[in-house]
Amino acid sequence: MQALSKKQKQIAIIGGGPGGLTLALILQNYGIQTTIYEREMHDKSLERGGSLDIHEETGQKALKEAGVYEKFQKNARYEGEDFRLFDKAGRIYLDEETESHEKGTRPEIDRGVLCKMLLDQIDAENIKYGYKLDRCVSLENGMTELHFENGVVETVDLLIGADGAFSRVRPLLTDIDIEYSGLTMLELNVLSVEENHPDLAEFNKRGKMFALADHKGIIGQLNGDGRIKVYASLMVERSWIETCGIPFNQAKEPLLELFSDWDDQLKNYIRYAEDVIIPRRIYTLPVGFKWNRHKGVTLFGDAAHLMTPFAGEGVNMAMFDAMELALAIVRHPNDIEKAIEEYEEMMYEYSSEKAQESENSLKLCFSKDAAVKLADMMNSFQVNGD
Ligand SMILES: Cc1cc2nc3c(=O)[nH]c(=O)nc-3n(C[C@H](O)[C@H](O)[C@H](O)COP(=O)(O)OP(=O)(O)OC[C@H]3O[C@@H](n4cnc5c(N)ncnc54)[C@H](O)[C@@H]3O)c2cc1C
């Protein structure tokens, strides 16, 4: 155990997502206290759902450092790596199935289960709910003043923005803002699929299903709670959600019309879903985005390098950043600036590579003849052993 200094510096982490929680837990393991400020009134990660693949070389390393790797292995779904790829006619291009004795390198876990696993280990007094950061102000003495929407003002030595895509910390460091990627994803849920829709359960199998064609996609992912999360995805104008005329709380018929010439088994992902549809515009930060060094402030996770989900890297990068930043602070307990500098230099390098991969993957998945191209790419990875 190593204390940060005789007088503990005040460290604020804005955001209790997977990144913020990983950082707080690793630092706590080294005897360094932080406070997480989370805008929600309680942990909402279970409600946010979604299954995430956690990579051996990044996310899993961070979980080891946080001391929760064994728990993760108990909760991870190794069979969730199964992957099926179709075109709109229902022609199959890839059908990858994990053998029951195999343990792959990218098992799946539900976002809520992952966050709870981390949260359970964090001292309860170190996370404050109902604290939505409104703005922050740099003070002449190098500290930063945090203004929360609930009226509270705090002053801290180190401010860490782990507050995701719409970060309120980022404007302190840069004028660069997130940009709409051109992709809008409509999130749907097919509940208890095994019991309610055995035909779809059999079609989807145990992991992910991608159907891609005509710059559109239907993506299904079996979650640990028995639901299939579905993303009907479209390359459309930013304003499409407002102008398309689809009433999103009862919208399955007009949505089905957008996929009218798609195979019936694929359309079942929409037909069988609950009526509530959550539209999400997918945003990114420019690949290679950097900010000017700023005393006592840094960013990580989506706040630092928002990328589209098509390389499955977002959460892995957030947790890996958390680990690198925590270890840099541990290496330089009395020199926060040195710690930030080391972390940022490393992070810019590895994250820009992943951001480029995500951008390429988005372009490929929503190009013409995407299923053929994606199958070719994945087959070439296997041949080359990548
Ligand atoms: C549809 C979709 C599918 C995805 N699929 C995958 C996938 O398969 N694999 C993958 O790796 N990634 C995926 N991602 C991306 C992944 O979810 C993110 O990269 C990851 O959650 C980033 O973690 P984070 O901790 O940086 O930020 P977040 O998870 O966004 O957490 C930010 C936290 O900050 C809080 N917050 C925000 N603003 C404030 C404020 N002003 N004050 C206080 N608190 C605040 C939020 O409530 C939240 O708890 C997907 C994303 C989307 C949209």
Side-chain angles (χ1 to χ4, degrees):
M1 294 278 217
Q2 186 170 20
L4 192 57
S5 69
K6 282 185 191 125
K7 183 181 174 299
Q8 160 88 59
K9 304 257 189 225
Q10 296 297 316
I11 303 179
I13 302 170
I14 309 298
L21 294 172
T22 305
L23 177 66
L25 182 52
I26 297 177
L27 287 175
Q28 179 182 296
N29 291 344
Y30 281 95
I32 297 171
Q33 199 218 320
T34 61
T35 305
I36 297 179
Y37 296 93
E38 167 58 47
R39 70 177 170 194
E40 303 293 353
M41 299 309 287
H42 61 95
D43 179 40
K44 277 216 169 161
S45 41
L46 276 172
E47 292 156 50
R48 282 190 191 142
S51 184
L52 302 162
D53 50 320
I54 306 300
H55 302 173
E56 189 175 38
E57 66 285 6
T58 49
Q60 289 181 39
K61 272 194 183 162
L63 292 173
K64 282 181 188 157
E65 196 59 52
V68 291
Y69 184 63
E70 281 180 18
K71 266 195 184 172
F72 165 74
Q73 283 184 305
K74 283 193 192 123
N75 286 294
R77 287 176 286 108
Y78 287 85
E79 74 286 0
E81 283 194 63
D82 289 2
F83 179 66
R84 312 193 86 200
L85 175 64
F86 296 86
D87 65 11
K88 70 175 180 178
R91 254 189 307 266
I92 189 155
Y93 291 82
L94 287 174
D95 193 4
E96 295 178 345
E97 204 165 315
T98 321
E99 300 288 340
S100 55
H101 62 275
E102 260 179 7
K103 279 208 162 171
T105 56
R106 299 182 162 200
E108 296 277 335
I109 190 166
D110 288 4
R111 182 185 164 107
V113 177
L114 175 70
C115 288
K116 185 166 184 315
M117 221 174 63
L118 295 162
L119 198 51
D120 281 350
Q121 304 299 314
I122 296 174
D123 296 339
E125 66 269 23
N126 294 342
I127 176 157
K128 294 189 175 178
Y129 289 101
Y131 279 71
K132 180 171 183 183
L133 183 72
D134 180 29
R135 64 194 171 88
C136 28
V137 181
S138 298
L139 302 178
E140 277 180 8
N141 63 3
M143 296 178 85
T144 310
E145 207 172 64
L146 312 180
H147 294 252
F148 293 95
E149 284 192 358
N150 59 12
V152 176
V153 178
E154 303 269 17
T155 305
V156 298
D157 299 285
L158 174 56
L159 167 62
I160 302 170
D163 50 344
F166 302 93
S167 173
R168 294 275 173 102
V169 179
R170 197 190 301 118
L172 196 61
L173 307 181
T174 180
D175 292 334
I176 293 174
D177 203 357
I178 54 174
E179 289 164 10
Y180 175 57
S181 66
L183 183 73
T184 290
M185 297 174 88
L186 307 174
E187 183 181 323
L188 300 115
N189 288 280
V190 184
L191 302 181
S192 305
V193 68
E194 189 84 45
E195 297 84 62
N196 297 338
H197 304 286
D199 56 330
L200 185 63
E202 199 183 324
F203 181 81
N204 188 84
K205 297 203 177 158
R206 306 171 302 176
K208 264 190 215 113
M209 188 292 301
F210 273 39
L212 304 171
D214 301 343
H215 314 285
K216 289 191 268 195
I218 296 177
I219 293 166
Q221 167 81 60
L222 184 64
N223 281 218
D225 65 359
R227 80 179 60 200
I228 290 182
K229 221 166 235 308
V230 181
Y231 298 100
S233 307
L234 308 152
M235 293 302 284
V236 285
E237 295 284 304
R238 192 188 176 287
S239 57
W240 181 83
I241 292 173
E242 290 82 27
T243 58
C244 65
I246 297 180
F248 283 110
N249 52 358
Q250 42 175 305
K252 292 205 329 234
E253 283 313 315
L255 181 53
L256 276 167
E257 274 168 33
L258 294 175
F259 292 91
S260 59
D261 58 342
W262 287 49
D263 180 77
D264 258 335
Q265 284 175 295
L266 299 172
K267 281 192 283 195
N268 284 344
Y269 281 88
I270 298 172
R271 271 194 204 110
Y272 294 165
E274 300 294 291
D275 283 334
V276 177
I277 298 177
I278 306 164
R280 294 184 190 283
R281 288 188 189 98
I282 302 299
Y283 291 92
T284 59
L285 278 162
V287 174
F289 161 66
K290 292 184 182 181
W291 57 87
N292 294 327
R293 279 275 324 105
H294 190 109
K295 193 169 167 25
V297 185
T298 194
L299 302 174
F300 77 93
D302 278 5
H305 42 59
L306 182 65
M307 47 189 97
T308 71
F310 285 88
E313 292 289 355
V315 80
N316 287 287
M317 285 293 99
M319 292 195 297
F320 194 66
D321 290 351
M323 181 188 86
E324 291 295 0
L325 177 55
L327 295 181
I329 293 171
V330 171
R331 280 196 300 277
H332 303 288
N334 296 314
D335 191 350
I336 290 278
E337 293 318 303
K338 181 82 187 144
I340 296 179
E341 190 185 325
E342 276 189 17
Y343 151 73
E344 287 180 354
E345 288 309 313
M346 257 188 293
M347 179 273 293
Y348 288 141
E349 200 166 319
Y350 62 70
S351 69
S352 59
E353 232 176 79
K354 301 295 182 191
Q356 188 62 61
E357 264 176 47
S358 300
E359 190 176 298
N360 296 346
S361 184
L362 173 80
K363 282 189 187 143
L364 187 145
C365 287
F366 293 91
S367 62
K368 196 163 179 288
D369 302 325
V372 183
K373 289 181 194 158
L374 183 58
D376 284 350
M377 191 185 82
M378 292 182 74
N379 285 329
S380 79
F381 279 166
Q382 278 161 9
V383 170
N384 297 327
D386 287 349

